[in-house]
Amino acid sequence: MNPVKIIQSRFVPLPAENVDTDQIIPARFLKATTRDGFGKNLFRDWRYENNDDTKPKAGFPLNNPAYSGEILVAGKNFGCGSSREHAAWALQDYGFKAVVSSFYADIFRNNALNNGVLPVQVSDAFLQEIFAQGADTELVIDLEAQTISIPATGKSESFDINSYKKTCLLNGYDDIDYLLSMLPEVEAFEKQPR
Amino acid sequence: MGKTLFEKIWEHHVVKEIPGGPAVLYIDRHFIHEVTSPQAFTGLQKRGIPVFRPAQTIATADHNVPTLNQHLPIKEELSRLQVEVLHTNCAAQGIALYGLGHPFQGIVHVIGPELGVTQPGMTIVCGDSHTSTHGAFGSIAFGIGTSEVEMVFASQCLLQSKPKLMRISVDGELSEGVSSKDIVLYILSQITAAGATGYAVEFAGSAIRSLSMEARMTICNMSIEMGARCGMIAPDETTFSYIKGRQFAPGGEAWEPALAKWKKLFSDDDAAFDKEYTFRAEDIEPMITWGTNPGMGIAVNAPIPVPNGTEEKTAFEKSLAYMGFEAGESLLGKKVDYVFIGSCTNSRLEDLRLVAEFVKGKKKADGVEVWIVPGSRKVEAQARAEGIDKIFEKAGFQLRQPGCSACLGMNEDKIPAGKYCVSTSNRNFEGRQGAGARTLLASPLTAAAAAVTGVITDVRTLLTQKTETAEAFA
């Protein structure tokens, strides 16, 4: 996994709430046996008319040429529903390095973290502050400092992340390396009377 | 201070606490299926490591399999490949696989309990959010992503932060025509689709206690729809008698010691929860959803709510536009195109029996397509043995073969764009049952009522008619 430190980028606003993982990547695109190529079907049915990828829906933010960047900003309870990690893969494959929302579903949050897509949780007020910005506004997410800021307005907010996951992301470590180092302790645990 | 059910099981499975971080949590049972496992197996291959505890892993093919002609090769190439890859991976790693054609095959959350693999006090995971189902047995059971599937393969452990604890009590007696599906849709309508995010939920109270295991599974199944990390119910005599004698349940001399352990699994009287809700069973009516998340539910005879405030208005308008409904109107009498009775929420034998008893002597309405998809081969076999298949056939209902089917529309069982489907499944998200499909979640009885009338119906009106008819002939 690539280390994550500072993400400085414009953002794509998706003000909808309760964006479920079926919207992020519909089930009919989960037939692949590899992790690659899900970005082209990211938000498939919100992005295209009648399941036709030559007919982008004009109103959808990903289709609006004014918006670009590595940060998706979405309404609260982002990533609810199905546990499909394909949702995180699709966001990553499309080019997003972070998602900003005021509330995340648990499983999505873990899936995003396990793929180096940073889920940044901000207050409702700060989220509205971001939505109020113009399309050319940049956001700066500093993982080390645990802050997200809008340089244009000078506004900034800190965000939570557990210290273990922070270390993993900053260094590009993954949980499996750690768990494999734990195997002797796991075997000892298994031998205890339970 | 006493401990909650969750804490008792959790503490029993912590291998190590990482300071400032999550716990290393030991996993007793790992269920896998064809859709969320292939990339995890590939990950292991890249690292050159085997599955650490293959005997604690059980596989089935369910999400992406056809529900007709399962004896024939899968027609769709990508789906066939995905199922083949599962076979190859399980064979290479020594994992028991109940694939298509195997008498134990079925929806992963139906077969685990049915085979006695799911037991009280366990930690259970699967790359599927509805793993919460298994919590009905008094276990910590939750859905995980594919990277986490790989972690369990590699170490039989996961890194998990302890969630907050919530108790939802439902006390009293359920009214006629109201089932466990209505209970959970009611709770969802009260606390919203994000109401339990960050919490492990224990369901308690006399109405929950009175439910069968299959009905309890329906409730725990949908705890993920509240955002809960897991849902659970303390095991009791109902639980123990369900498990006893099943294929992989402790048998012979192992039974009594297992039972003694299981009987300690309950929340102590003085245990503390971070949040508590209490509901009255008498307030619950047959429920149905009108919108595009499972929290958007109403009593079937109630009007669609009118939004309160601008924030709610935006969300409601988007959902109503998708569904083709208007705020304030009633759903009763709305035309239905499809009825789907199936999914890990409601595809068990009790569900099929209940529907069969209701439709006996009735016929489906013209213009409605009715799919009954049993949860497992065992459910299907038992339904046939009881003659339930004949009742469905006479009613014009199609009894298909086991799988997840139209719950997620991954195989060919899709609801066409714009069509209305009353579904016993768990999610009414936009496009969930097929691009543009419109889903109304309900209980098996409410779904069956729609099947025979062709419109959204309060099933209680038909139950009364039945009683009156019976009296007339008495």
Side-chain angles (χ1 to χ4, degrees), chain A residues 8 21 134 136 138 149 189:
Chain A
Q8 177 164 5
T21 54
D136 53 355
E138 278 200 336
S149 52
F189 176 86

Side-chain angles (χ1 to χ4, degrees), chain B residues 88-145:
Chain B
T88 312
N89 284 328
C90 289
Q93 298 289 346
I95 293 170
L97 166 65
Y98 306 135
L100 284 187
H102 193 285
F104 295 167
Q105 183 266 340
I107 303 175
V108 62
H109 310 308
V110 174
I111 68 169
E114 181 178 79
L115 295 171
V117 175
T118 300
Q119 294 165 21
M122 285 181 166
T123 47
I124 300 172
V125 297
C126 172
D128 184 277
S129 60
H130 293 107
T131 309
S132 57
T133 312
H134 306 260
F137 291 79
S139 58
I140 296 179
F142 54 94
I144 56 177

Side-chain angles (χ1 to χ4, degrees), chain B residues 137-153:
Chain B
F137 291 79
S139 58
I140 296 179
F142 54 94
I144 56 177
T146 299
S147 294
E148 292 171 313
V149 171
E150 190 179 337
M151 291 174 209
V152 181
F153 280 163

Side-chain angles (χ1 to χ4, degrees), chain A residues 23 46 85 174 190 194, chain B residues 26 47 53 146-147 261:
Chain A
Q23 306 317 313
W46 284 359
E85 192 164 316
D174 73 26
E190 286 177 323
R194 290 195 301 136
Chain B
Y26 190 79
R47 288 168 201 265
R53 293 289 179 251
T146 299
S147 294
K261 271 192 205 172

